[in-house]
């Protein structure tokens, strides 16, 4: 059995499309079709149902996919074992919430590059739902979310931590330590991250439960810019504490005490259970843990 055919089969199964799989593998579509047909003939089963351009796994195809993943992992492990003692190399794709990028890349990324010059990193910023889709289709190797906790037996959670999130305002724009109702708060101008993104989505869902909503005067993905504008008195925002901590400590921002209102937000580093954790991926995951989790623990 040609291992390349199994690799092609995994790509078609995960992407649900022969053309996309061909593009991912650098093959022509005819080559992909030939490899799948060859595998089906060898196993004497039909791997896919092809209906109106829709490609779905058959029951036999799902069974073969499980074996294909195992063979792929063993093949990658064999290759890596044969290369022991060589420099760690690899291209790692990491999906993450945009507001976490600063923490990941500031200060020590240069040290990581010096230690692992053979590792290249591609960061894709997206909402949690899109990141999970990318993870399921093997379009990213791991994801770093900031959202409601992800609980799925298909995923391995490398590290997770609950994050505190508060409404914030300019230090002089609101009476210090005076509780306010959420009904009163939503009457004020808001500056928020994009609708549907992680903790912004959780905020909108919580407000909807209370039959409330906010119409922000500005929506922008850059949380540092939001903090700056809020500190200038341009509006109120809802941000994780790690974003606003320095501005609060310096007296530019204040956290607002909102009565009977709380939202649970979790930071989670996740990869698919079927994903082979190569030395390159292991190195990146370790770096993420040090930058995104261990640093927060030591500074709190």
């Amino acid at each position: 059995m040609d291992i390349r055919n199994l690799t092609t089969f995994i790509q078609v199964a995960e992407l649900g499309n022969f053309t996309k799989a061909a593009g991912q593998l650098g093959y022509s579509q005819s080559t992909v079709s030939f490899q799948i047909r060859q595998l089906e003939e060898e196993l004497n089963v039909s791997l896919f149902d092809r209906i109106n351009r829709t490609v779905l796994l058959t029951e036999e195809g799902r069974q073969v996919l499980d074996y294909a993943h195992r063979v792929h992992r063993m093949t990658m492990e064999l290759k890596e074992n044969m290369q022991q003692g060589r420099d760690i190399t690899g291209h790692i794709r990491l999906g993450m919430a945009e507001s976490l990028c600063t923490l990941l890349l500031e200060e020590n990324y240069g040290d990581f590059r010096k230690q692992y010059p053979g590792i290249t990193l591609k960061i894709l910023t997206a909402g949690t739902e899109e990141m999970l889709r990318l993870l399921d289709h093997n379009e990213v190797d791991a994801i770093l979310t900031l959202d409601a906790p992800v609980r799925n037996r298909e995923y391995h959670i490398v590290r997770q931590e609950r994050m505190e999130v508060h409404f914030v305002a300019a230090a002089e724009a609101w009476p210090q330590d005076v509780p306010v109702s959420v009904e009163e708060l939503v009457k004020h101008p808001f500056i928020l991250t994009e609708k549907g993104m992680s903790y912004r989505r959780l905020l909108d869902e919580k407000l909807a439960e209370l039959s409330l909503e906010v119409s922000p005067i500005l929506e922008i993905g850059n949380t540092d810019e939001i903090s700056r504008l809020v500190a200038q008195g341009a509006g109120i925002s809802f941000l994780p504490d790690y974003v606003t901590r320095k501005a609060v400590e310096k007296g530019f921002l204040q956290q607002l005490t909102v009565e009977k209102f709380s939202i649970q937000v979790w930071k989670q580093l996740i990869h698919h259970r079927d994903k082979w954790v190569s030395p390159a991926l292991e190195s990146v995951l370790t770096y993420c843990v040090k930058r995104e989790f261990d640093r927060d623990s030591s500074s709190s």
Side-chain angles (χ1 to χ4, degrees), residues 19-269:
T19 302
K20 289 181 180 179
Q24 188 81 9
L25 294 165
Y27 297 156
S28 66
Q29 185 173 338
S30 61
T31 298
V32 169
S33 297
F34 173 76
Q35 289 178 326
I36 296 301
R37 186 166 60 253
Q38 194 176 48
L39 186 59
E40 288 179 324
E41 291 173 355
E42 187 172 4
L43 296 174
N44 195 29
V45 297
S46 177
L47 297 173
F48 297 103
D49 286 325
R50 304 165 179 85
I51 304 173
N52 295 328
R53 297 184 180 180
T54 300
V55 179
L56 297 173
L57 283 168
T58 62
E59 180 59 36
E60 292 83 1
R62 283 191 284 272
Q63 295 178 33
V64 174
L65 182 61
D66 182 54
Y67 283 104
H69 275 302
R70 288 189 237 171
V71 171
H72 179 69
R73 286 198 303 272
M74 291 175 67
T75 302
M76 297 303 293
E77 289 171 5
L78 175 61
K79 288 181 179 180
E80 188 57 41
N81 286 336
M82 294 300 99
Q83 296 175 357
Q84 282 186 356
R86 302 180 187 178
D87 292 337
I88 295 176
T89 62
H91 179 65
I92 304 301
R93 304 156 300 169
L94 183 63
M96 63 190 306
E98 183 174 353
S99 63
L100 294 173
C101 290
T102 300
L103 284 180
L104 185 70
L105 299 176
E106 68 180 2
E107 297 179 15
N108 295 105
Y109 180 67
D111 294 336
F112 176 82
R113 282 288 303 144
K114 290 178 182 178
Q115 185 175 0
Y116 301 107
I119 295 178
T120 58
L121 184 63
K122 180 177 182 179
I123 294 178
L124 300 91
T125 59
T128 304
E129 184 176 343
E130 173 64 9
M131 282 193 281
L132 292 174
R133 186 194 70 79
L134 294 172
L135 198 65
D136 289 339
H137 290 168
N138 196 33
E139 295 179 43
V140 293
D141 301 299
I143 61 174
L144 189 59
T145 67
L146 191 65
D147 209 319
V150 174
R151 296 187 177 94
N152 189 317
R153 295 179 65 181
E154 295 297 313
Y155 306 136
H156 173 69
I157 299 174
V158 180
R159 184 73 70 89
Q160 62 181 354
E161 178 182 25
R162 182 175 174 179
M163 306 297 292
E164 296 296 327
V165 185
H166 286 88
F167 291 98
V168 290
E172 304 301 327
W174 204 276
Q176 293 282 342
D177 300 322
V178 176
V180 60
S181 68
V182 67
E183 290 81 5
E184 174 62 27
L185 197 66
V186 297
K187 297 176 183 178
H188 293 264
F190 271 78
I191 302 174
L192 297 172
T193 53
E194 299 99 321
K195 192 174 182 65
M197 299 293 281
S198 62
Y199 48 88
R200 164 69 193 278
R201 175 179 55 78
L202 297 178
L203 171 64
D204 288 338
E205 290 175 355
K206 182 68 173 180
L207 291 176
E209 292 176 6
L210 302 172
S211 299
L212 298 171
E213 65 176 341
V214 293
S215 298
I217 60 172
L218 176 64
E219 294 175 293
I220 182 173
N222 190 318
T223 52
D224 289 335
E225 185 65 17
I226 293 175
S227 295
R228 186 183 68 82
L229 291 171
V230 171
Q232 293 177 354
I236 294 169
S237 193
F238 183 72
L239 294 169
D241 288 2
Y242 71 82
V243 172
T244 61
R245 182 178 296 126
K246 291 181 180 179
V248 170
E249 291 173 351
K250 293 179 180 179
F252 299 139
L253 292 176
Q254 64 165 309
Q255 295 177 347
L256 302 180
T257 303
V258 182
E259 299 169 334
K260 301 177 182 178
F261 191 93
S262 64
I263 293 177
Q264 285 198 10
V265 177
W266 287 76
K267 180 163 58 178
Q268 294 179 298
L269 180 60

